[in-house]
Amino acid sequence: MRFIRRLFKWTALLVVLAVVAVVATVVWYVRAVEPQVAGTITLPGFERPVEVIRDKEGVAHIFAATDGDATAALGFVHAQDRLWQMEMNRRIANGRLAEVVGAPGLETDRFLRTIGIRRSAEAIWANLDAETRVSLAAYARGVNAYLTSRTTPLPPEFQILGAPGPEPWTPIDSIGWSLMMALDLGGNLNAEITRLRLAQAGFSMERIGEFLPPYSGERWPVLPDYTALYRSLGGQAQRADAMIRPFNLGLEGVGSNNWVVSGARSQTGKPLLANDPHLGLSAPALWYFARLTSPSGTVIGATLPGVPGVVLGRNDRIAWGFTNTGPDVQDVYIERIDPQNPSRYQTPDGWRDFETVREVVKVKGAADVTLDVRITRHGPVISDGASRGATEAAPQGHALALRWTALEPDNLTVQAFSRLNTAKNWQEFLAAARHYHAPQQNMVYADVDGNIGFVAAGRVPVRRPDNDLRGLFPAPGWDARYDWAGFIPFEELPQEFNPERGFRYTANERITAEGYPHFITGEWATPHRADRIRELLAQRDKHSLDSFRQIQADHRSNAVREVLPLLLQLYPAGERERRHQTPAREQWALDMLKAFDGTMAADRPEPLIATAWMRELTRLVYADELGPELFRDLWDQRQVFMMNVLQNREGQSNWCATRGTPAGAVSCAALVTRALELALDDIEKRYGQDRSKWQWGRAHDARSEHRPFARVAALAWLFDVRVPVPGDTYTVNVNRHTIRNEAEPFVSRHAASLRALYDMADPERSVFMHSTGQSGLPTSRFYGNLAERWSRVEFIPMRTRREDIARDAIGTLRIEPR
């Protein structure tokens, strides 16, 4: 017995010691992994001493004696604060994700190896001017100075995944991530593949045009009917779709806002400018705030870890903001393969050999995967690369190839940033914007002299007059009329300077007036946000930073305001209408919604009820027409389509009929009535029967997701950043939810990744905010410290005066050259 007691004591002691050791190790790691922010450090790759002051929010302020050292210091602080994010970004762009996450990363790698992000980055590097190459090399020196001199342990993601330490950074890595940003903002590829899949499912051209409608109030042009060709392509559309589907390209409602007013419309007498780009939320945030002071001047704003320069921000003279234009710059071509020689494809001038590139994808815990990528005169073949569906029958004599402006070897977009950062006036700003090729952006501008301007900078292909598909559907690659005929000249892109009305706004809506001579796209975003911004700008003769903040915070949904009266008008239907009986639960919901003005407040039940009602109605309207597979992939809010159906525009109410029954056998009113019942059932299932807990913010939190641990339940709680938010897909304060996500249909994963307000009467009064925090370390106090304030549309100051920054700085780091 004495022996057992001793054994128990020793065992208990060992357990306690083990726990103490684990706790001590964790405490040591949490402290040790933090970057050095104060003191002096000697580094290679610098010419002169540099100082980095981090203010109380962790924003890095860089003071350098040379431009190259300022850029190198930006690379250094990016690596200090966001090393895992940079590593993931680089692996994604290079198609090397599966090396560290295994099979779940394989589809992403296949697609990006197939379209050749890395190959294109290498080709672009060879065409850049000397100034840009020097800047990219300086940035890489700064990143590598951190990698070779760090004394801290690697961030926890490396430890958890057992990933190797980062390889040296190269300029190609920076170019690659800039191309990924272009991919994230592109949507036409997905739209063309979707139309192809619908055609293969038996939809007519007219029916496809109804489901994917044109811009509000417009009509599709008459298009040639290639459905027979499309249906002969076998499983190629599915294979191409399988590759692009994980990227969520072209989601409805994803976009950005910006607007600028002249001094005549401002309380200060000088311009004001606002910008909030809407992108997928991530933890850490996509953006990293930084300020750089060097002989070229001072610039402050949002930077992208992995890329030199300030992308969105201001200097001492000008400010600028971007929204996505959404141009049609991605065309899918159907290439006809020579039946006698499958290594050739048909061109307008005869048969030509495919160019081939072998890509070897390493997969953690599995055998390497070899891809033989075929490349045509248009670009890479995208119907070869997906593993899902690879066991289907061989392609029936055709392949799908992609042409995209961002992959052109003379895409000089990375040359634009340093020029934007140092521009002092409108002429210099335009000169910088000329280098910006992809993705096309609606750029608004303001300066301290009182000028405002706008230009939609970017490369947009010119399509021939006899191109009757207008980039909407995949085109026969052997027919020369579908080839691009150059690009719209920069001088002919939409632009204006000091408009008489005294303002300009963009929110991804149509930006071209009637009679504009060039085709940019037929797929502009819905005008709901743009219309609301116009309403709010018109409410005041003169604006201030505070009124601009109120506009950015506005969460009244024009989409709900237009559809809700139709729903209330159509409810109830059938037997209930005749009996004048409405269940008490449904009547309560209807009474709430009758007084609802579309304000999507986080603490109210009406936004949840209205959104859930429309979610169920979309399912009832078109799930049967699409079938299970297509519906799984294409289920979305589709506001314009749903309005057309409910208003029976051009007979579109026949979508309400159950497939296989005569038109009119089931009315839209019947579906509206049934949808409310299903919606309330779903809400009760998810949130209980206590209606006081039916709050929009409870269902609709903004989810900044970590890569890759957002998909690991045991780790997501530590790495993701979550905060309740108002708004919806169509509000100015956008928070887009994905209704086809059955587990979390109301969670927002796309929102204002950044907000900024600029005051050109005193640029020091300018403010900004992003969605998480400056640090990429989940144990840091700067990992998610901005999220709550971001959700309330609050800001931190965009200060550049050294005495203001130093007053409450968390540290000053002096870099001495080695």
Side-chain angles (χ1 to χ4, degrees):
M1 183 64 71
R2 183 179 300 173
F3 172 77
I4 293 175
R5 286 198 297 268
R6 287 179 179 177
L7 180 63
F8 177 78
K9 289 181 180 179
W10 279 107
T11 301
L13 178 60
L14 290 174
V15 170
V16 170
L17 290 175
V19 171
V20 170
V22 170
V23 171
T25 300
V26 170
V27 170
W28 169 84
Y29 178 81
V30 167
R31 293 178 177 176
V33 77
E34 287 286 339
Q36 181 180 349
V37 298
T40 301
I41 186 171
T42 302
L43 296 174
F46 288 82
E47 301 173 30
R48 304 277 294 279
V50 175
E51 282 192 328
V52 180
I53 303 176
R54 281 181 169 84
D55 67 23
K56 68 176 183 178
E57 304 292 356
V59 177
H61 296 259
I62 296 166
F63 299 86
T66 71
D67 294 342
D69 280 349
T71 302
L74 181 63
F76 178 79
V77 298
H78 277 170
Q80 276 192 307
D81 287 331
R82 299 288 187 88
L83 185 60
W84 175 253
Q85 183 183 42
M86 294 174 67
E87 177 70 3
M88 276 295 285
N89 292 351
R90 170 167 60 174
R91 285 190 173 277
I92 291 170
N94 290 346
R96 296 179 59 188
L97 189 58
E99 288 183 19
V100 293
V101 303
L106 183 56
E107 289 303 323
T108 297
D109 287 352
R110 283 178 175 274
F111 176 58
L112 297 173
R113 292 285 189 102
T114 295
I115 67 172
I117 294 291
R118 175 79 185 191
R119 298 192 301 270
S120 295
E122 291 171 345
I124 289 168
W125 166 253
N127 289 311
L128 296 175
D129 63 18
E131 177 185 346
T132 305
R133 289 164 68 98
V134 167
S135 176
L136 289 165
Y139 180 85
R141 284 201 308 274
V143 176
N144 293 329
Y146 174 75
L147 295 180
T148 58
S149 63
R150 68 174 181 84
T151 57
T152 60
L154 288 168
E157 294 91 342
F158 288 94
Q159 320 291 344
I160 295 170
L161 290 171
E167 299 171 358
W169 194 267
T170 72
I172 308 301
D173 297 324
S174 296
I175 299 170
W177 189 243
S178 74
L179 295 178
M180 287 302 301
M181 288 301 300
L183 179 64
D184 188 56
L185 293 170
N188 184 252
L189 168 61
N190 181 68
E192 288 195 40
I193 295 298
T194 296
R195 289 186 174 92
L196 177 58
R197 292 184 68 194
L198 289 169
Q200 291 184 331
F203 282 66
S204 67
M205 299 290 281
E206 179 183 8
R207 199 70 162 165
I208 294 169
E210 291 176 357
F211 186 66
L212 301 175
Y215 193 64
S216 296
E218 299 184 3
R219 294 173 178 267
W220 287 126
V222 177
L223 301 174
D225 191 343
Y226 281 114
T227 52
L229 172 62
Y230 298 152
R231 290 165 191 163
S232 73
L233 299 178
Q236 295 189 63
Q238 287 83 353
R239 286 194 290 274
D241 184 79
M243 285 207 296
I244 67 176
R245 183 64 49 188
F247 293 88
N248 288 322
L249 305 177
L251 292 175
E252 181 176 274
V254 174
S256 306
N257 306 318
N258 64 21
W259 61 91
V260 60
V261 300
S262 69
R265 297 292 307 274
S266 145
Q267 292 180 5
T268 68
K270 287 292 179 73
L272 301 171
L273 189 150
N275 187 204
D276 52 297
H278 307 158
L279 296 163
L281 296 176
S282 63
L286 174 74
W287 305 103
Y288 178 91
F289 290 150
R291 169 269 191 85
L292 293 83
T293 293
S294 70
S296 290
T298 293
V299 62
I300 183 171
T303 69
L304 287 171
V307 180
V310 170
V311 179
L312 299 167
R314 71 167 181 89
N315 57 35
D316 293 336
R317 300 277 310 167
I318 75 167
W320 64 95
F322 295 176
T323 69
N324 196 35
T325 310
D328 185 345
V329 295
Q330 298 169 329
D331 274 359
V332 176
Y333 290 92
I334 302 167
E335 308 287 13
R336 180 182 287 157
I337 299 172
D338 185 350
Q340 305 302 319
N341 183 353
S343 66
R344 301 196 306 176
Y345 65 99
Q346 188 177 7
T347 76
D349 302 316
W351 300 103
R352 183 183 299 185
D353 288 338
F354 286 102
E355 178 187 348
T356 59
V357 175
R358 174 156 290 188
E359 296 276 0
V360 179
V361 181
K362 295 186 178 299
V363 184
K364 181 180 179 180
D368 294 352
V369 174
T370 299
L371 303 176
D372 288 321
V373 179
R374 297 184 292 176
I375 302 172
T376 74
R377 67 192 184 94
H378 296 118
V381 171
I382 60 172
S383 52
D384 290 348
S387 59
R388 285 179 287 176
T391 59
E392 299 175 12
Q396 299 178 25
H398 298 89
L400 302 179
L402 169 69
R403 186 170 187 190
W404 175 31
T405 53
L407 299 181
E408 302 288 316
D410 58 348
N411 172 10
L412 304 180
T413 300
V414 290
Q415 288 186 180
F417 296 127
S418 63
R419 291 167 168 83
L420 288 174
N421 290 184
T422 58
K424 304 300 182 186
N425 53 52
W426 175 244
Q427 290 73 29
E428 292 181 10
F429 181 81
L430 278 185
R434 283 180 177 274
H435 296 266
Y436 198 98
H437 290 168
Q440 186 184 27
Q441 297 289 286
N442 300 321
M443 301 180 177
V444 294
Y445 164 96
D447 66 34
V448 296
D449 295 325
N451 300 301
I452 65 172
F454 157 79
V455 61
R459 269 190 172 173
V460 181
V462 173
R463 290 176 172 84
R464 291 171 36 159
D466 56 350
N467 182 338
D468 49 11
L469 283 172
R470 301 294 292 272
L472 295 170
F473 282 81
W478 57 89
D479 192 330
R481 61 183 159 154
Y482 299 117
D483 289 344
W484 294 354
F487 301 98
I488 299 175
F490 184 83
E491 293 77 12
E492 297 176 24
L493 293 169
Q495 55 191 283
E496 60 182 349
F497 183 59
N498 288 333
E500 288 186 13
R501 63 182 174 277
F503 65 90
R504 177 77 195 214
Y505 61 86
T506 75
N508 319 108
E509 81 287 6
R510 175 185 282 281
I511 60 168
T512 55
E514 187 175 351
Y516 179 71
H518 299 291
F519 174 79
I520 291 181
T521 183
E523 299 173 294
W524 307 97
T526 69
H528 296 93
R529 283 180 289 107
D531 290 346
R532 183 62 179 159
I533 292 168
R534 185 183 67 248
E535 290 177 37
L536 296 171
L537 286 174
Q539 288 179 4
R540 298 171 184 256
D541 291 331
K542 294 184 182 293
H543 283 272
S544 64
L545 286 185
D546 185 61
S547 70
F548 270 31
R549 189 204 71 80
Q550 292 175 35
I551 297 174
Q552 285 191 333
D554 183 77
H555 48 265
R556 180 173 292 182
S557 174
N558 275 357
V560 170
R561 290 166 72 186
E562 72 179 3
V563 77
L564 189 56
L566 292 175
L567 300 182
L568 295 173
Q569 178 184 338
L570 290 168
Y571 187 99
E575 209 48 44
R576 288 180 186 166
E577 183 176 29
R578 289 193 290 272
R579 295 178 182 175
H580 301 287
Q581 294 178 351
T582 298
R585 183 187 63 168
E586 279 79 347
Q587 189 61 57
W588 172 84
L590 291 168
D591 290 342
M592 297 288 289
L593 293 177
K594 285 174 184 176
F596 184 44
D597 67 353
T599 299
M600 309 295 281
D603 60 350
R604 296 296 303 170
E606 296 94 337
L608 177 59
I609 298 168
T611 304
W613 192 358
M614 278 300 294
R615 177 176 186 260
E616 294 301 331
L617 184 58
T618 58
R619 190 203 310 259
L620 294 175
V621 166
Y622 62 84
D624 56 332
E625 276 88 356
L626 266 62
E629 184 177 337
L630 274 176
F631 182 72
R632 178 199 66 203
D633 294 340
L634 303 182
W635 188 16
D636 206 350
Q637 297 166 61
R638 305 197 179 280
Q639 178 76 12
V640 176
F641 164 71
M642 290 299 293
M643 286 294 297
N644 290 344
V645 170
L646 293 175
Q647 292 179 322
N648 193 23
R649 289 177 182 157
E650 299 184 9
Q652 290 189 39
S653 65
N654 61 11
W655 283 86
C656 291
T658 303
R659 192 171 189 178
T661 63
V666 178
S667 69
C668 288
L671 296 189
V672 167
T673 302
R674 176 61 176 155
L676 179 59
E677 180 183 353
L678 292 173
L680 296 176
D681 287 346
D682 187 57
I683 293 172
E684 287 182 346
K685 180 181 178 180
R686 294 177 189 276
Y687 310 111
Q689 294 187 349
D690 183 352
R691 295 171 191 167
S692 67
K693 295 181 180 180
W694 291 11
Q695 295 182 343
W696 183 227
R698 184 181 176 196
H700 187 63
D701 62 316
R703 190 77 54 82
S704 295
E705 294 185 323
H706 180 272
R707 288 176 172 166
F709 294 148
R711 291 170 175 78
V712 182
L715 296 172
W717 67 272
L718 174 63
F719 288 89
D720 288 354
V721 177
R722 308 179 183 194
V723 59
V725 288
D728 71 3
T729 298
Y730 305 99
T731 51
V732 177
N733 183 4
V734 72
N735 276 285
R736 188 194 197 282
H737 56 282
T738 305
I739 62 174
R740 67 173 169 268
N741 184 328
E742 195 65 56
E744 297 176 317
F746 308 119
V747 168
S748 169
R749 291 180 170 85
H750 287 79
S753 60
L754 158 74
R755 295 189 185 99
L757 303 174
Y758 304 92
D759 184 347
M760 303 319 291
D762 180 3
E764 288 293 299
R765 291 201 294 259
S766 302
V767 293
F768 54 5
M769 178 64 74
H770 65 63
S771 54
T772 60
Q774 287 287 94
S775 176
L777 297 170
T779 54
S780 169
R781 63 189 172 106
F782 296 112
Y783 185 71
N785 64 307
L786 301 180
E788 288 284 351
R789 285 176 284 174
W790 167 84
S791 72
R792 298 191 296 265
V793 194
E794 297 175 0
F795 295 88
I796 61 176
M798 198 182 295
R799 301 177 296 185
T800 61
R801 283 194 287 262
R802 184 165 183 146
E803 59 272 20
D804 294 337
I805 301 157
R807 189 177 302 120
D808 50 14
I810 62 172
T812 299
L813 180 66
R814 182 176 176 85
I815 299 174
E816 293 283 354
R818 181 179 297 173

